[in-house]
Amino acid sequence: MQRSNAGDVTYDDPWYDALASGWGESAAAVALPLARPGPEAAPSAAADIYLEVQRSAAFQEVRRRYRRFVVPGAVAFLLWYVAYVVTATTVPGLMARPVAGAVNVGMLAGLGQFLTTFLLTWAYVRHARLRRDRAALELRWDTQELTRGRGGAS
């Protein structure tokens, strides 16, 4: 930590001076910090912890729940979009058929694209909140506990 001119404490930010480099300064005047010194075993230990968490049953369950929602949802939405585009290009008479006044089938289908986007987003958020967020948060806490060296249940 360093003291600032105002007397309060500031944090050492290795990127603070690097952001302004090249603005009227010579390249030799700017000393960019390299890697922070630290124990060599720490990165491999952290990598081992993350690999252990990735192999855990809890992580696999979170990924399984994610995929079980996202893959069918994405496929259904893409099929609906492709059907809209194909219908608009191959059967323009159907899309031009009036429904009410100036509103035609193509306009309703186009608005349906927006509606399904919002509905799919709402369903995704609800699914994440009800089925994955709690388990993912527990995994996050366990991982942080393991990386701090205090143990942690995984």
Side-chain angles (χ1 to χ4, degrees), residues 4 6 8-9 26 28 41-42 45 61 66 69 80 84 90 106 131 145 152:
S4 69
D8 56 343
V9 176
S26 67
E61 179 65 20
Y66 172 78
F69 180 84
W80 159 230
Y84 171 70
T90 59
R131 307 259 190 255
E145 290 293 318

Side-chain angles (χ1 to χ4, degrees), residues 59-76 120 123-124 127-128 131-132:
F59 182 82
Q60 296 303 320
E61 179 65 20
V62 170
R63 293 294 296 170
R64 185 183 65 77
R65 289 178 182 176
Y66 172 78
R67 288 184 185 125
R68 280 183 54 193
F69 180 84
V70 169
V71 171
V75 168
L120 187 60
Y124 175 81
H127 180 268
R131 307 259 190 255
R132 294 190 324 264

Side-chain angles (χ1 to χ4, degrees), residues 79-146:
L79 287 175
W80 159 230
Y81 177 73
V82 168
Y84 171 70
V85 171
V86 168
T87 304
T89 56
T90 59
V91 192
L94 172 67
M95 298 298 261
R97 185 172 294 155
V99 174
V103 178
N104 60 23
V105 173
M107 291 175 75
L108 289 179
L111 292 173
Q113 291 286 316
F114 287 102
L115 179 64
T116 55
T117 301
F118 295 128
L119 287 174
L120 187 60
T121 302
W122 170 80
Y124 175 81
V125 170
R126 184 175 184 273
H127 180 268
R129 182 174 30 95
L130 295 176
R131 307 259 190 255
R132 294 190 324 264
D133 284 353
R134 186 176 311 266
L137 185 60
E138 289 173 6
L139 277 170
R140 178 180 169 193
W141 283 112
D142 289 345
T143 305
Q144 288 178 352
E145 290 293 318
L146 287 171

Side-chain angles (χ1 to χ4, degrees), residues 14-26 30 32:
W15 299 106
Y16 182 75
D17 291 330
L19 292 175
S21 65
W23 290 75
E25 303 172 19
S26 67
V30 178
L32 296 177

